[in-house]
């Protein structure tokens, strides 16, 4: 078989580990030919490839980013792109595509499979962890590591200055990074898109902490968090090719509001793209390896239209249509655990 492999959407730690696993399994067990498609779907539309063999994936397990490059290109944006994609698939003689991506990349994969019978297997990745049908996505735990490390640092300076430190994390419309990083760093308040709080409620918690002699506070806020007084803070009118708005900056607004309503000093730190960079944690390397090997197996068996997913300790195939049917958001049970430590 000739497999094409691509990474699409926002990068994250662990992508190279997944590429390595697919290539090693596909060549080592099945003697397939593997070609890397550069820059996500853009590489298939424009025919930009890189041959992959055992040596080209050697020494990349621990490297962040993606050796294939990535982009947020949507082939369904216009019919020419789609035609180019099909003619390139044909001329490159791909028997199957392995797409490593989040909701957008796998949304395209699902549509290509459903509408045009393109033979595709998906692998879930995104720091946001918002893909349905899988417990975790590649990259999520590495971003938690980065965020927790940063929040631990904010805590010592918060304590020294008796300040309110607000750490803003990514996650788009899901609060997984905020909730998990907040729990792991002992945050006093966690704000997510799923569970709105008002500024008054936040100020009440700050005052309650002061009453018990805690004169510093750590707040973790998701970039897409909604305060009761305002909705999501959309930063720009621009949208990406999949129609996503740009978020970010809510931490500074919150800091200003806290300073207006209390005598406390509040400082905002946006962790931004640091959460997508750096080396993958061992756990991300591990799941990327399991998922990559399984994806190569599925493609070899001709089981297309599936995403490999992590359920408990098992790696199982789930329908791509199920994986993208809705966004996986933080559940009340998990957020209630975080809430135990508020205040
Ligand atoms: O989906 C991953 C993510 O990092 C989100 O958390 C964030 O909102 C978005 O990508 C940023 O997108 P871009 O890379 O296009 O700026």
């Amino acid at each position: 078989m000739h497999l094409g492999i691509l990474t699409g959407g926002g990068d994250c730690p662990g992508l190279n580990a997944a590429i390595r696993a697919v290539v090693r399994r596909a060549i080592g067990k099945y003697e397939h030919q593997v070609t890397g498609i550069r820059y996500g779907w853009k590489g298939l539309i424009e025919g930009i490839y890189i041959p992959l063999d055992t040596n080209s994936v050697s020494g990349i397990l621990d490297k962040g980013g993606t050796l294939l490059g990535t982009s947020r290109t949507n082939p369904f944006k216009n019919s020419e792109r789609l035609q180019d994609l099909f003619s390139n698939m044909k001329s490159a003689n791909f028997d199957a595509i392995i797409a490593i991506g989040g909701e957008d990349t796998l949304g395209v994969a699902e549509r290509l499979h459903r509408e045009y019978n393109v033979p595709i297997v998906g692998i879930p990745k995104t720091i946001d962890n918002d893909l349905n049908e899988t417990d975790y996505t590649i990259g999520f735990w590495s971003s938690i590591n980065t965020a927790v490390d940063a929040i631990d640092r904010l805590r010592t300076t918060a304590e020294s200055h008796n300040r309110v430190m607000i750490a803003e994390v990514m996650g788009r419309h899901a609060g997984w990074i905020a909730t998990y990083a907040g729990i792991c760093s002992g945050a006093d308040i966690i704000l997510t898109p799923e569970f709105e709080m008002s500024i008054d409620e936040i100020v009440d918690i700050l005052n309650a902490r002061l009453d018990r002699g805690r004169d510093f506070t750590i707040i973790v806020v998701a970039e897409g968090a909604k305060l009761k007084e305002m909705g999501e803070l959309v930063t720009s009118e621009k949208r990406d090719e999949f129609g996503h708005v740009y978020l970010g900056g809510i931490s500074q607004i919150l800091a200003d509001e806290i300073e207006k309503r209390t005598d406390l000093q509040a400082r905002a730190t946006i962790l931004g793209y640091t959460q997508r960079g750096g080396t993958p944690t061992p756990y991300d390397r591990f799941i990327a390896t399991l998922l990559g090997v399984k994806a190569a197996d599925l493609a070899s068996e001709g089981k297309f239209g599936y995403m490999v997913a992590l359920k408990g300790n098992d790696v199982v195939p789930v329908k791509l249509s199920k994986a993208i049917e809705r966004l996986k958001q933080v559940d009340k049970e998990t957020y209630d655990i975080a809430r135990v430590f508020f205040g």
Side-chain angles (χ1 to χ4, degrees):
M1 276 177 102
H2 182 196
L3 303 185
I5 177 168
L6 61 84
T7 50
D11 72 340
C12 67
L15 292 174
N16 285 324
I19 296 165
R20 168 180 175 268
V22 170
V23 172
R24 290 298 299 267
R25 182 64 151 192
I27 294 175
K29 179 163 183 193
Y30 304 104
E31 296 183 8
H32 292 330
Q33 181 192 349
V34 190
T35 296
I37 299 162
R38 309 288 318 267
Y39 317 119
W41 297 115
K42 179 182 164 73
L44 202 50
I45 294 165
E46 297 181 14
I48 320 168
Y49 310 124
I50 171 177
L52 294 175
D53 60 16
T54 305
N55 279 351
S56 46
V57 296
S58 161
I60 63 167
L61 175 65
D62 60 334
K63 302 274 183 304
T66 162
L67 96 112
L68 298 177
T70 186
S71 72
R72 295 198 186 278
T73 307
N74 184 357
F76 286 99
K77 188 108 177 131
N78 59 54
S79 57
E80 290 92 77
R81 284 189 182 180
L82 211 52
Q83 286 321 312
D84 289 346
L85 182 147
F86 292 135
S87 70
N88 279 321
M89 265 211 73
K90 203 159 174 231
S91 55
N93 272 321
F94 288 125
D95 295 305
I97 303 294
I98 297 194
I100 309 176
E103 52 157 339
D104 299 328
T105 304
L106 297 187
V108 169
E110 191 275 332
R111 215 173 143 189
L112 286 174
H113 177 72
R114 178 169 41 86
E115 292 182 17
Y116 302 94
N117 212 19
V118 176
I120 297 190
V121 174
I123 299 180
K125 72 83 218 175
T126 163
I127 62 164
D128 302 343
N129 198 38
D130 57 0
L131 261 173
N132 206 14
E133 292 287 314
T134 185
D135 291 348
Y136 296 117
T137 49
I138 296 168
F140 172 64
W141 277 103
S142 299
S143 77
I144 297 301
N145 221 44
T146 302
V148 168
D149 181 61
I151 299 163
D152 286 349
R153 289 164 200 271
L154 291 177
R155 179 179 299 280
T156 57
T157 168
E159 283 177 5
S160 308
H161 287 266
N162 310 334
R163 279 176 172 160
V164 178
M165 283 292 182
I166 307 170
E168 179 176 320
V169 296
M170 282 186 164
R172 224 175 233 155
H173 311 296
W176 293 107
I177 302 178
T179 305
Y180 275 51
I183 289 174
C184 296
S185 61
D188 308 301
I189 300 172
I190 300 170
L191 302 168
T192 68
E194 295 88 348
F195 303 95
E196 290 177 25
M197 278 178 84
S198 69
I199 299 175
D200 285 342
E201 285 170 297
I202 294 166
V203 168
D204 284 349
I205 293 177
L206 299 178
N207 287 331
R209 279 178 64 75
L210 284 174
D211 287 347
R212 67 177 177 97
R214 307 306 274 162
D215 49 14
F216 71 94
T217 293
I218 301 290
I219 301 178
V220 178
V221 58
E223 62 180 356
K226 293 181 197 119
L227 294 168
K228 277 190 185 144
E229 294 80 353
M230 57 184 253
E232 237 173 27
L233 183 71
V234 176
T235 322
S236 139
E237 288 302 305
K238 277 192 316 185
R239 285 176 181 257
D240 71 15
E241 290 206 356
F242 290 89
H244 295 296
V245 293
Y246 291 92
L247 301 168
I250 190 168
S251 52
Q252 189 56 56
I253 290 178
L254 187 57
D256 292 343
E257 286 298 328
I258 289 170
E259 290 203 342
K260 257 190 245 163
R261 295 170 194 228
T262 68
D263 292 331
L264 293 161
Q265 285 187 337
R267 297 286 186 271
T269 304
I270 300 179
L271 303 188
Y273 294 90
T274 60
Q275 295 160 95
R276 295 224 310 243
T279 56
T281 57
Y283 185 69
D284 265 332
R285 297 179 202 191
F286 185 68
I287 63 169
T289 301
L290 297 189
L291 293 166
V293 166
K294 184 74 175 181
D297 287 347
L298 286 193
S300 304
E301 290 160 18
K303 200 166 164 116
F304 301 121
Y306 284 85
M307 176 185 88
V308 286
L310 205 63
K311 295 212 176 192
N313 289 326
D314 298 325
V315 175
V316 294
V318 297
K319 285 234 155 73
L320 272 170
S321 52
K322 294 294 284 176
I324 55 125
E325 114 185 316
R326 65 176 178 89
L327 209 63
K328 185 182 73 178
Q329 288 193 300
V330 177
D331 51 286
K332 185 166 178 312
E333 210 181 335
T334 305
Y335 190 72
D336 278 347
I337 291 172
R339 232 195 298 243
V340 169
F341 304 94
F342 284 15

